[in-house]
Amino acid sequence: MACEHEAELSLRYDDLPDALRAHLAGCPGCTAAHRALAEVAAMVRAEAAAVAPPTPAEQLAALREVLHAAPLWRRRVAVPLPVLGGALAMLVLVVALLTRAPAVEGRMVIEVVKVAP
Amino acid sequence: MRCALVVMLLWSATASAEHVRIDVALVEHKDGARRVVSGSRVEGPAGVDLEIELRVADLVLTGTFITDLAERAVEVNAHLVSRRRAGESPRGLPLWEEDVQDRQLAVGFGEALVLWPFGRAPDALSVELVPARAAPIALRIEPFARTGALEVRARRHPHRFVCTATLVAPGATAMVSDCRFARAAYFPAGAAGIAAVTVAGYQRDRPADAVSIRLETLGARAMATVALGAPATFALADGAQLRLVVRLADGEAAD
């Protein structure tokens, strides 16, 4: 079955007149074109929503959150404090292990001990 | 005057009565048991210095122990070098692992200085120095084990000196400091900052005993051997000079 609206199917689905969209939804010959247009329209809406920049009001709210919600000494710390503390403790442990007195095996050892009477 | 003379005689008798005995033993540890395989007993006036040398296969230990008697202990200034053969270079020359340590320790009577020259392990060798007070006796070394793997040498010479340093400059004043053998004494040295002066050696000699003096300043080091009481002059930075004179401290005697 031929469709008299074939030339208009390249338009954006969301921009189509309501009458044409109603026709596409009900016309058996236009079902495939209608489904393709609907999918493209959904993708376009999703992409537009994903890349939409925050509004000035949202940006202002985020800035206030940074300036007022967090204490000064935390503002420049990108790593959560417990993680930072844990990493520091591990570093101290590793340094202590590496720089501790070397194994007695091999290196000269000198000590003063009590003598049994 | 008579009273002072008596005190001096008493002090001299006390000083001469300060004698020590130091047992130096090479101990083999095996299967939880210990066995003395070599050693010597050194007896003599306090302040005796020991030198040891141990050679076992490719293991070599040399050590110098400068001792001084304190109230309840023997102060030990130890310089130790242990070496072990680690293979050969591509040119066929021997390669050695070397461990050098300088330690100052106080070993009480009833204590032992234990040295593990090649590491402490269940089966290993140790060298033990056990000091004790002794009756007055001339310096003597007596081996008490048959094997001679451990060589022990002992000598006694003065340990306490008076160092006088003078910057060679118009109007400079002499600086006087007590100097202990093998320990640094420090003097202001003008533009060179601080000079560390060490009496590093003592030689019995004629007509006078001699001392080896080591002088260290920031970035410079020099040595000289001069007779006791004779001046040694060292060049410092900016053309300055430091004149040093070393004399024996009271109570010490030259040869």
Side-chain angles (χ1 to χ4, degrees), chain A residues 103-116, chain B residues 84 99 101 103 110-112 114-116 118-121:
Chain A
V104 291
E105 177 79 27
R107 186 164 170 76
M108 187 159 45
V109 176
I110 185 167
E111 59 190 358
V112 176
V113 300
K114 289 282 184 189
V115 177
Chain B
R84 76 180 87 196
D99 187 7
Q101 293 190 31
R103 299 284 298 274
E111 292 182 327
V114 181
L115 169 65
W116 302 83
F118 310 106
R120 182 168 46 201

Side-chain angles (χ1 to χ4, degrees), chain B residues 53 62 83 93 107-108 135 157 162:
Chain B
E53 185 169 332
T62 56
R83 304 170 72 209
L93 298 172
V107 187
H157 62 68
V162 176

Side-chain angles (χ1 to χ4, degrees), chain B residues 1-105:
Chain B
M1 179 68 184
R2 183 177 298 170
C3 184
L5 185 61
V6 170
V7 169
M8 284 187 65
L9 287 173
L10 283 174
W11 181 85
S12 175
T14 304
S16 64
E18 291 177 340
H19 286 67
V20 293
R21 180 182 70 232
I22 301 176
D23 289 339
V24 186
L26 175 64
V27 181
E28 180 187 54
H29 301 261
K30 198 166 189 179
D31 300 328
R34 43 172 286 143
R35 184 170 69 96
V36 175
V37 294
S38 181
S40 297
R41 169 167 290 183
V42 178
E43 293 177 291
V48 66
D49 297 339
L50 306 177
E51 290 179 7
I52 64 170
E53 185 169 332
L54 169 67
R55 288 181 183 273
V56 180
D58 286 338
L59 308 176
V60 181
L61 166 73
T62 56
T64 304
F65 300 90
I66 298 166
T67 72
D68 281 297
L69 188 62
E71 189 175 350
R72 294 181 179 178
V74 173
E75 294 178 348
V76 180
N77 195 352
H79 174 72
L80 303 159
V81 181
S82 70
R83 304 170 72 209
R84 76 180 87 196
R85 186 84 176 261
E88 285 191 348
S89 72
R91 284 188 285 269
L93 298 172
L95 294 174
W96 296 83
E97 283 183 333
E98 187 176 86
D99 187 7
V100 180
Q101 293 190 31
D102 290 289
R103 299 284 298 274
Q104 291 184 0
L105 303 152

